[in-house]
Amino acid sequence: MLAQLEASGAAAGADVLIINDASEDRTGQIIAERGFQTVSNVFCLGYGGAIQVGYKYAVQEGYQYVIQMDADGQHDPCNIPVLYRRLLEEDQPDIVLGTRYMAGSRTFHLSLSKRLAHRLFRFAIRLATGQTVSDPTTGLQGLNRRAFSCFAQYDNFDTKYPDANMLMQMLLLRYRVVEVPAVMHPRVAGKSIHSGLRPLWYTLRMMFSMLAVVFRIRVLKSGVPADRTAAA
């Protein structure tokens, strides 16, 4: 993945931060050899926890925009300028999603279980918010400071499985979420967190989490609504 970033030129036009989530392989050594900035967790925080560390870093260091990508080779670096340009457009979206389901997207075949889960999450988001998100589990995202500052706060982010539930939360809190076509590839490294029987557990957990999001925001009136007048 780091070689792809360097070859694409994306690493030269942006500050690259690698979250090393207590890896036990040569990840730390490889990052050091290539000279990228890194945050190394002492304990494994998991997928969501590692991403939130990145948001907290971006808040602390004063960044205005964040482009997040998975490190397994699925997200092509060519998506970075596409997401960034969309963040800068006049309508000022808070979150830009790289999707597998729009015209112009290039992706790989997904399993039946994943396609069914996507349809279920898509339906739940539309039912709760009235808006459609075609790819509710994409990890390829661009966020402005308003959005990632919200995610960086305590209890505003699912540190286990931050997917469709977090998009539902942001839509309910009036953050603007849009999608752009993305180029994605089959996984080339690492082990999926959705292998074996985990997709079933993940789907059930996600549905309960989405219900909890609706209850927390609609009933308890909890959350941080987007301030549309604030500068990104």
Side-chain angles (χ1 to χ4, degrees):
M1 185 63 191
L2 298 183
Q4 288 178 308
L5 277 172
E6 291 173 329
S8 70
D15 294 336
V16 178
L17 176 70
I18 311 298
I19 307 298
N20 180 7
D21 194 28
S23 299
E24 297 179 350
D25 53 18
R26 294 182 60 250
T27 296
Q29 180 183 340
I30 293 171
I31 295 171
E33 289 172 352
R34 292 186 177 274
F36 287 109
Q37 178 70 27
T38 184
V39 172
S40 295
N41 296 334
V42 178
F43 301 103
C44 181
L45 300 180
Y47 177 70
I51 291 176
Q52 192 181 47
V53 167
Y55 296 147
K56 290 179 181 293
Y57 179 92
V59 170
Q60 177 179 309
E61 297 299 317
Y63 286 95
Q64 300 303 306
Y65 301 99
V66 165
I67 308 294
Q68 69 179 51
M69 301 174 62
D70 293 345
D72 57 9
Q74 288 190 343
H75 300 156
D76 196 291
C78 73
N79 295 297
I80 294 174
V82 176
L83 294 172
Y84 181 61
R85 286 195 298 267
R86 185 65 183 89
L87 282 168
L88 297 179
E89 289 187 12
E90 262 185 50
D91 58 340
Q92 295 183 325
D94 297 299
I95 300 175
V96 179
L97 306 176
T99 178
R100 291 162 276 202
Y101 296 110
M102 290 178 70
S105 300
R106 284 189 290 158
T107 186
F108 52 94
H109 178 73
L110 296 173
S111 66
L112 177 61
S113 62
K114 286 188 177 180
R115 296 199 305 271
L116 290 175
H118 288 179
R119 290 183 182 180
L120 180 61
F121 300 156
R122 199 179 299 141
F123 172 76
I125 290 175
R126 187 167 62 247
L127 185 65
T129 70
Q131 300 186 54
T132 299
V133 176
S134 69
D135 197 347
T137 68
T138 178
L140 178 62
Q141 301 183 17
L143 305 93
N144 66 14
R145 187 172 180 84
R146 183 186 296 116
F148 67 72
S149 293
C150 175
F151 280 155
Q153 295 180 39
Y154 176 75
D155 227 18
N156 273 357
F157 194 68
D158 184 347
T159 56
K160 187 66 174 178
Y161 295 123
D163 280 329
N165 51 349
M166 294 295 92
L167 294 178
M168 177 182 284
Q169 167 186 283
M170 300 306 269
L171 288 168
L172 288 173
L173 292 174
R174 303 192 302 278
Y175 288 79
R176 185 173 292 124
V177 180
V178 300
E179 295 182 277
V180 295
V183 176
M184 298 193 188
H185 308 290
R187 173 187 299 275
V188 296
K191 182 179 179 181
S192 173
I193 61 173
H194 302 311
S195 58
L197 295 177
R198 291 178 181 175
L200 177 59
W201 163 243
Y202 162 78
T203 302
L204 292 174
R205 185 190 187 283
M206 186 58 59
M207 292 306 298
F208 279 116
S209 180
M210 293 170 86
L211 287 172
V213 165
V214 173
F215 180 80
R216 178 166 56 86
I217 295 174
R218 288 280 175 82
V219 178
L220 301 181
K221 307 299 181 183
S222 175
V224 184
D227 179 1
R228 302 307 315 171
T229 64

